[in-house]
Amino acid sequence: MMKEILITSTALILALLLIRRVFRGMLSRRFQYALWGLVLVRLLVPVNLLPASDFSVLTAAKPMEQAVTARLDRIAVAPVRPENIQTPEAPLNPPSVLNHGAPEGPLPQSIEPGTAPGLEPAPGMTAGEIMALVWKVGMVLMGGFFLLSNLIFSYKLRKSRRAFESKAALPVYLVPDGVIPSPCLFGRSIYITPTVGSNEQKLRHVLAHEETHARHWDPLWALLRCVCLTVYWFDPLVWIAARCARIDCELACDEGALAVLGEGERIPYGQTLVSLIPVKRGSNPLIAATTMTAGKKQLTDRVKRIAQRPRQFLAAALAVAVLAGIVSACTFTGGKESPAPSPSQGPSEDTIRALSGEELRWFNEEFFNHFSSPISYTYNIRNQFASPINLYERPEDINLYELFYLEGRTPTSKELRAYGVEEEADLVCPVYVITAGEMEKLLGEYTGLSLEEVDLEGLGYEYVEAVDAYFNMHGDTNYCGDLDFTVGTREGDTVRLYHRSDFAGGGWYCVTLKERRAGSARPTEEGESPYWFVSNTACDRPLIPTPLPVWEPEKTVSLTELEPYAPPAVTVETHVGDFVDTYENRLENWSFDGRNVVVYRATDGKIYAALRREDGSMEVFFTLSDLDFSLFPYSDLLGHDGFTLTYRPEADAQRYPTDSDYYYFDEAGAPVLLARGHEECRAVDLDGDGRDELVTPWQLFFEREGAVYEARLEELVKEACPELTYWDYSLWDKYSKRLYVRGLSGEATWERYVYFDGESLLIYKNEKPTIDHMVEGADEGVPATVVEAAREFVDGVFITAEAELREKAHQAGAGEAPEGELPPEFDDWRIDYFDGPYRYPYGGAVVEGWWFNYEMHTATPERVVLAGGAVPH
């Protein structure tokens, strides 16, 4: 809200300063002074008095406000270490790779390094946080100064004052010369100097002046001005407004006093002011009194105004009232949220956007999870930085014990003896050793920190000075295994990845990475990480909309008319005495929600899935055909928690090699079938609303208003796209949250991408832009030699295809066809995407290979023979 007040108050103050200047000499001074009340209300009332509107100043300023806020939030302010200065060097770029993929929109922001060299500050407070802290400290100091100034001023008055007899309605006190610069009203008392007390005319003028201040409640307005200056001490416009309001206060008071004294007192009243008001450049603006000090120019102007009796124009007053109303309407209304960037514009550098499926795939398959070395099949230390048991809000707080748990190597004989062990056989558990230099290198690569900047006491390893290394003895591993980052965001060079894990008690976690751009604070050596780890924290489930292609869908299939899904009924039979309780006979044995689910071979030789009761009886709910099955829990799916039984179905075994039944327990404790999925099943939040849908290559199960619905994808897509004559293949991609469908339309290949937006299926054509035979972005992160070799290969296939067509025509007796007269079988080609690198150890070296897909275009599909045609390479 503070940002909104600053924006609207700035606009309001500037508008009133302009009105004050334009209508100078045409308005009543009291009317002019009253306008500053609008500024007081805007500064002191922390809410918008009117609802959001299109004409609001906040609406117009929203894009700039968001951009400035985002930039301040991203600037980390901390000491920059000299050793972290580096020359610009490009980090590794994640490739744009997605099997059968189309680019998603808004198109991914480049993950290439920045171009401007500079220093990368260590993670710390953001500039916005520091500014907020400085504002609060300054407010406390200013408030203390305001309170102290008024207490001292009050003490001086009370200590030296004595009652003075007068006909004024308020108490009047006489104070010695030097205590106050001029007569004033403080609180509800008038204070005069001996000069005023000894002169009847001056006394009459001063009392009329100060009583007018009292009638106008000017001490209260002076107090509120002081509060504004205390809160907004950093804003020069507030100081300017306070100064102008104080001047207008005195002009309004002069106007009110002369209305009481009469027109005949105008000149004598002005002479009194000249004789009493000291000429000073300024006084303490935080004194809540109506002291009459002024600069020479201000005093001259004030006296001229009194002497000239300026004319007041009703038309001007009406015009100002209308303008003030318009300005108030624009500054007291809330701001509408800025619309998201249109797909054609794409996101700006400061926009928080969802990561595309291509980017998520790179983080999951290249940055995390894969082995740290192509010839060292152990683990990936990056997963340890993101482990749910290693949480930290800043890299200095990383748990070094968990981080380096698997990083150590087997000690040498010399190191073992230094450790106090003669023979390796004497060890109770394996011992691992890691040197300070090895830890320093890893910390520097992934955080930019040195060992001196982290908590070595939390390492927990035994340091042996003789070999300058740390030793750790352990038998099991604390490795979290593969992580599955299903959604993420990018804001400038900051990436946030979200995943759900059951490794440390379950829940959602957010890993924050910062891109090491060119010129960042540590040289990036070849093969090093292109990102630093900033934090790893527990979080709520993120709500991140799924990016859709930038072009319009070919078809939209509404799902609002579907009937609720009716799963097959579950029949429960009670079996007694057919279960032999041995370890081998309990083929699966799980506890779900306090209930024991068992898969066992009964005495009749059949395999049953059953709920085992406390009395030993078995509530059999399913009979399996063979031992190829699995039993696993699921949670928070379509409104339920339960378990999944996957098996080979007896019916439709050829079409669906496996089925998966999702069960939950009703209030009576009986198993209820939630959904039956065919083939590979997966829980995915397709539309980013925070609720998982259940998808298979053939089905989409979703929840709406407490009911479960099944969308049979093949039927719905064929109905929407009648040109699809044969459904060949379909697969959901968990990163881009879309279904890839491939089939035939006549004799031509038919490919589409299907998204779910929560209400409908959106069917998209593959309209990826192509430049020079290359789908835009397909070659990002791919070595130039690989791209060139791929181009040469496909071009050769294209030339060969055309030559073969001519040869076929010649052999058929058509003779040599003149160039250009024979329609080509294919008239264009393009490379669709790359996948890789795939690294394999071979003969002491590592061989790196790439897989790519190319497409050939034809205007005469009837002449294309699909069988034995071009295949991906």
Side-chain angles (χ1 to χ4, degrees):
M1 190 63 204
M2 173 60 73
K3 291 177 290 187
E4 296 184 356
I5 292 177
L6 287 175
I7 293 171
T8 53
S9 64
T10 296
L12 183 59
I13 291 172
L14 291 175
L16 292 186
L17 289 174
L18 179 62
I19 289 174
R20 185 174 181 266
R21 181 71 177 176
V22 171
F23 292 92
R24 178 185 178 89
M26 291 185 283
L27 296 176
S28 161
R29 305 298 177 234
R30 284 170 282 187
F31 181 75
Q32 182 173 295
Y33 177 46
L35 292 177
W36 291 111
L38 297 174
V39 176
L40 278 176
V41 173
R42 179 66 282 185
L43 291 175
L44 297 179
V45 178
V47 294
N48 294 314
L49 302 181
L50 298 172
S53 66
D54 291 326
F55 57 79
S56 168
V57 169
L58 290 176
T59 299
K62 183 65 71 174
M64 182 180 295
E65 175 198 349
Q66 292 174 341
V68 172
T69 301
R71 189 166 296 277
L72 289 177
D73 288 343
R74 285 205 314 272
I75 300 175
V77 180
V80 178
R81 298 177 293 281
E83 65 268 24
N84 287 339
I85 301 175
Q86 72 161 35
T87 56
E89 186 172 347
L92 177 67
N93 294 326
S96 297
V97 176
L98 183 60
N99 291 343
H100 307 294
E104 297 161 279
L107 291 175
Q109 226 174 22
S110 173
I111 311 184
E112 296 180 358
T115 56
L119 300 179
E120 185 75 17
M125 294 181 66
T126 65
E129 291 170 337
I130 289 183
M131 291 173 66
L133 179 61
V134 171
W135 165 61
K136 292 175 183 177
V137 171
M139 187 165 53
V140 171
L141 294 177
M142 189 65 69
F145 180 68
F146 159 64
L147 184 61
L148 184 62
S149 298
N150 282 276
L151 288 175
I152 292 175
F153 187 70
S154 176
Y155 173 76
K156 288 170 59 179
L157 290 177
R158 291 179 179 277
K159 181 180 178 181
S160 60
R161 73 183 184 182
R162 58 187 179 86
F164 184 85
E165 293 291 334
S166 71
K167 297 180 180 180
L170 298 176
V172 180
Y173 296 97
L174 184 68
V175 294
D177 289 328
V179 176
I180 53 176
S182 68
C184 69
L185 177 69
F186 187 67
R188 301 298 292 176
S189 300
I190 300 173
Y191 294 89
I192 62 174
T193 59
T195 303
V196 172
S198 60
N199 187 302
E200 182 180 350
Q201 177 175 279
K202 290 181 179 180
L203 178 62
R204 188 173 71 256
H205 293 162
V206 166
L207 293 180
H209 183 90
E210 300 304 337
E211 286 182 324
T212 301
H213 273 310
R215 287 196 305 274
H216 292 175
W217 291 85
D218 288 335
L220 174 61
W221 306 134
L223 176 64
L224 293 177
R225 283 200 304 272
C226 293
V227 172
C228 289
L229 293 175
T230 299
V231 176
Y232 301 95
W233 59 268
F234 57 88
D235 190 343
L237 272 180
V238 175
W239 289 87
I240 292 173
R243 177 176 177 273
C244 292
R246 190 166 183 171
I247 293 173
D248 289 346
C249 171
E250 292 301 326
L251 292 175
C253 187
D254 291 339
E255 189 175 82
L258 287 171
V260 173
L261 294 172
E263 287 299 316
E265 295 287 332
R266 183 174 292 276
I267 300 301
Y269 177 80
Q271 292 172 340
T272 297
L273 290 183
V274 172
S275 65
L276 294 179
I277 298 179
V279 178
K280 298 173 64 176
R281 285 191 173 272
S283 59
N284 187 349
L286 296 180
I287 297 293
T290 61
T291 52
M292 297 186 293
T293 59
K296 184 176 181 179
K297 182 178 180 181
Q298 295 172 4
L299 181 59
T300 302
D301 182 64
R302 183 174 170 185
V303 171
K304 284 182 178 179
R305 287 171 179 266
I306 293 172
Q308 292 173 356
R309 188 185 178 185
R311 297 174 60 190
Q312 300 170 14
F313 298 92
L314 179 60
L318 291 175
V320 170
V322 171
L323 289 174
I326 294 173
V327 172
S328 300
C330 294
T331 53
F332 283 87
T333 52
K336 287 189 174 180
E337 291 297 324
S338 299
S342 66
S344 61
Q345 294 173 329
S348 70
E349 179 68 16
D350 298 320
T351 301
I352 299 177
R353 64 168 181 84
L355 292 181
S356 69
E358 295 160 332
E359 292 168 304
L360 285 170
R361 185 180 303 280
W362 184 86
F363 281 111
N364 278 279
E365 298 180 0
E366 294 295 325
F367 191 73
F368 292 100
N369 300 328
H370 74 292
F371 298 127
S372 56
S373 168
I375 56 176
S376 176
Y377 297 99
T378 53
Y379 80 113
N380 188 338
I381 192 173
R382 297 167 185 171
N383 285 36
Q384 292 294 82
F385 278 98
S387 171
I389 61 174
N390 187 10
L391 303 181
Y392 50 92
E393 294 186 354
R394 57 181 196 142
E396 289 86 348
D397 299 329
I398 289 176
N399 186 324
L400 297 182
Y401 178 81
E402 298 295 345
L403 179 63
F404 296 122
Y405 193 85
L406 293 173
E407 193 60 31
R409 53 180 171 79
T410 302
T412 64
S413 299
K414 177 184 176 182
E415 290 171 332
L416 271 179
R417 287 192 295 272
Y419 185 57
V421 177
E422 291 298 327
E423 299 291 339
E424 187 174 351
D426 298 334
L427 292 172
V428 178
C429 289
V431 170
Y432 302 89
V433 62
I434 183 171
T435 66
E438 291 167 336
M439 290 191 292
E440 180 98 15
K441 183 178 185 302
L442 286 168
L443 278 175
E445 176 181 354
Y446 290 110
T447 67
L449 302 175
S450 63
L451 282 177
E452 289 76 16
E453 296 170 287
V454 295
D455 181 16
L456 270 177
E457 293 183 2
L459 179 61
Y461 294 0
E462 183 178 345
Y463 177 70
V464 179
E465 186 175 2
V467 291
D468 189 23
Y470 293 86
F471 290 76
N472 184 29
M473 179 185 295
H474 59 78
D476 62 340
T477 67
N478 287 17
Y479 186 48
C480 59
D482 283 357
L483 304 172
D484 189 15
F485 298 99
T486 55
V487 288
T489 63
R490 170 178 279 274
E491 182 183 10
D493 56 6
T494 298
V495 172
R496 292 178 176 86
L497 300 168
Y498 298 89
H499 69 108
R500 180 167 55 187
S501 175
D502 296 326
F503 184 61
W508 279 87
Y509 301 90
C510 174
V511 179
T512 302
L513 305 173
K514 187 176 182 63
E515 188 176 8
R516 294 168 60 181
R517 296 180 181 271
S520 62
R522 184 181 176 275
T524 306
E525 299 177 4
E526 184 177 356
E528 280 196 327
S529 166
Y531 289 93
W532 275 339
F533 285 86
V534 176
S535 65
N536 180 31
T537 59
C539 65
D540 295 330
R541 179 165 188 162
L543 300 178
I544 300 174
T546 298
L548 299 174
V550 296
W551 52 88
E552 291 297 317
E554 177 189 23
K555 298 287 178 62
T556 298
V557 181
S558 175
L559 303 181
T560 57
E561 300 300 322
L562 290 180
E563 295 294 329
Y565 172 66
V570 178
T571 302
V572 178
E573 295 181 353
T574 302
H575 288 208
V576 179
D578 69 344
F579 172 53
V580 180
D581 193 0
T582 63
Y583 180 80
E584 294 79 7
N585 194 40
R586 281 178 275 138
L587 305 175
E588 286 283 4
N589 183 27
W590 289 82
S591 178
F592 302 110
D593 195 21
R595 297 173 176 88
N596 186 202
V597 178
V598 176
V599 178
Y600 71 101
R601 189 188 300 275
T603 54
D604 61 5
K606 295 182 179 180
I607 302 170
Y608 296 116
L611 179 63
R612 181 162 59 176
R613 299 298 185 183
E614 293 182 0
D615 60 3
S617 64
M618 311 297 287
E619 302 290 341
V620 175
F621 58 85
F622 195 80
T623 302
L624 295 162
S625 59
D626 58 33
L627 291 176
D628 190 3
F629 70 92
S630 63
L631 190 67
F632 284 103
Y634 71 84
S635 61
D636 193 21
L637 177 63
L638 303 177
H640 295 281
D641 299 338
F643 62 93
T644 306
L645 179 63
T646 301
Y647 55 92
R648 289 185 179 273
E650 294 183 4
D652 295 327
Q654 291 185 345
R655 183 173 189 185
Y656 306 128
T658 60
D659 275 353
S660 295
D661 288 354
Y662 286 76
Y663 293 92
Y664 67 93
F665 296 107
D666 63 14
E667 294 181 356
V672 178
L673 184 59
L674 175 65
R676 174 168 290 169
H678 304 309
E679 208 171 328
E680 181 184 358
C681 298
R682 178 174 291 158
V684 184
D685 183 4
L686 296 178
D687 54 351
D689 66 350
R691 298 181 299 175
D692 284 339
E693 285 73 40
L694 177 63
V695 298
T696 80
W698 315 93
Q699 303 156 286
L700 161 62
F701 294 93
F702 62 95
E703 181 189 5
R704 183 168 61 214
E705 297 179 354
V708 175
Y709 294 83
E710 178 193 21
R712 298 182 180 181
L713 300 170
E714 183 177 3
E715 297 175 10
L716 292 170
V717 173
K718 280 186 173 181
E719 183 179 350
C721 305
E723 71 276 13
L724 174 60
T725 57
Y726 174 69
W727 179 288
D728 177 45
Y729 176 82
S730 59
L731 178 69
W732 283 97
D733 179 72
K734 66 178 180 180
Y735 300 126
S736 57
K737 285 84 176 174
R738 67 185 176 193
L739 180 74
Y740 168 72
V741 178
R742 185 178 66 196
L744 293 179
S745 174
E747 296 184 354
T749 300
W750 189 93
E751 292 182 329
R752 295 295 188 272
Y753 302 94
V754 182
Y755 291 83
F756 174 66
D757 66 356
E759 295 290 338
S760 306
L761 296 178
L762 308 178
I763 303 175
Y764 287 87
K765 283 185 176 181
N766 185 348
E767 298 182 4
K768 298 174 289 187
T770 301
I771 302 174
D772 190 22
H773 300 292
M774 183 74 64
V775 169
E776 187 175 6
D779 56 346
E780 286 186 15
V782 184
T785 53
V786 173
V787 174
E788 186 59 32
R791 284 181 175 277
E792 291 179 2
F793 176 84
V794 184
D795 192 43
V797 171
F798 180 74
I799 294 173
T800 301
E802 185 176 17
E804 288 178 350
L805 178 63
R806 293 182 178 278
E807 178 63 24
K808 290 177 183 177
H810 176 69
Q811 293 177 358
E816 281 296 329
E819 192 73 25
E821 292 186 9
L822 183 65
E825 186 174 10
F826 300 106
D827 57 15
D828 200 1
W829 61 270
R830 70 178 183 182
I831 294 177
D832 187 22
Y833 57 87
F834 289 85
D835 193 3
Y838 295 94
R839 301 183 179 95
Y840 306 93
Y842 181 79
V846 178
V847 178
E848 181 176 292
W850 289 79
W851 189 97
F852 70 93
N853 184 69
Y854 69 89
E855 300 170 338
M856 309 284 278
H857 182 270
T858 180
T860 56
E862 68 278 1
R863 302 178 60 195
V864 177
V865 180
L866 295 179
V871 296
H873 290 268

